[in-house]
């Protein structure tokens, strides 16, 4: 039997739009025999959320210095490799860190250019 749409009705009274389970006419949420599987999925989701909450708690509330970002990235990598962190969360952290590094680098370049311009007499010393 090819899996089609779930034949159950939602709480709102509309036809369920979820994919029926293989060999069944209903989806995971409407399958009376899948209570244990639903409970496991909910537990997995809860665990991922608590991992994220734990990571958030471990972050300082003050703006981070670049060395702090390196430390956080180390923790992210450690948790990712230990299977304690969802890859999408680690990806997002890496993207933010990249942006952070780019801004830090741009600021440093600006400082160096200012110093060179000052030394070249093109700018009044601060
Ligand atoms: Zn359904």
């Amino acid at each position: 039997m090819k899996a089609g749409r779930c034949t159950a009705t939602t709480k709102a009274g509309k036809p369920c739009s979820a994919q029926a389970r293989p060999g069944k006419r209903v989806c995971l949420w409407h399958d009376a025999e899948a209570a244990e599987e639903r409970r496991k999925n909910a537990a997995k989701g809860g665990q991922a959320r608590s991992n994220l909450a734990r990571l958030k708690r471990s972050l300082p509330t003050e703006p981070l210095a670049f060395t702090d970002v390196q430390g956080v990235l180390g923790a992210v990598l450690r948790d990712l490799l230990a299977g304690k962190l969802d890859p999408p969360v680690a990806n997002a952290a890496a993207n933010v860190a990249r942006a952070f590094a780019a801004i830090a680098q741009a600021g440093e370049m600006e400082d160096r250019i200012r110093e060179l311009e000052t030394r070249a007499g093109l700018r009044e010393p601060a």
Side-chain angles (χ1 to χ4, degrees), residues 20 23 43 59-60 65 69 80 85 92 105 116 121 124:
L59 297 176
V69 174
L80 177 71
L85 192 65
Q105 201 173 22
L116 285 172
E124 196 180 308

Side-chain angles (χ1 to χ4, degrees), residues 61-99:
T61 51
E62 295 296 308
L64 297 173
F66 194 68
T67 51
D68 298 328
V69 174
Q70 285 177 313
V72 171
L73 281 181
V76 165
L77 181 60
R78 182 199 61 216
D79 286 359
L80 177 71
L81 294 177
K84 294 177 183 172
L85 192 65
D86 278 345
V89 175
N91 258 329
N95 280 332
V96 171
R98 249 192 303 280

Side-chain angles (χ1 to χ4, degrees), residues 6 8 16 18 27 30:
C6 173
C16 179
C27 71
H30 289 113

Side-chain angles (χ1 to χ4, degrees), residues 112-125:
R112 292 171 71 181
I113 289 169
R114 187 173 294 119
E115 174 65 23
L116 285 172
E117 285 177 345
T118 304
R119 284 192 199 177
L122 299 170
R123 182 189 286 269
E124 196 180 308

Side-chain angles (χ1 to χ4, degrees), residues 15-86:
C16 179
S17 62
Q19 181 94 34
R21 310 191 75 204
K24 301 232 176 187
R25 295 168 54 86
V26 289
C27 71
L28 175 68
W29 303 103
H30 289 113
D31 187 352
E33 294 165 18
E36 174 66 9
E37 201 172 329
R38 279 196 300 272
R39 195 195 57 73
K40 277 186 192 157
N41 282 352
K44 255 189 242 166
Q47 195 176 26
R49 278 190 298 277
S50 69
N51 284 338
L52 186 58
R54 187 169 50 76
L55 180 63
K56 279 181 187 163
R57 272 197 308 276
S58 74
L59 297 176
T61 51
E62 295 296 308
L64 297 173
F66 194 68
T67 51
D68 298 328
V69 174
Q70 285 177 313
V72 171
L73 281 181
V76 165
L77 181 60
R78 182 199 61 216
D79 286 359
L80 177 71
L81 294 177
K84 294 177 183 172
L85 192 65
D86 278 345

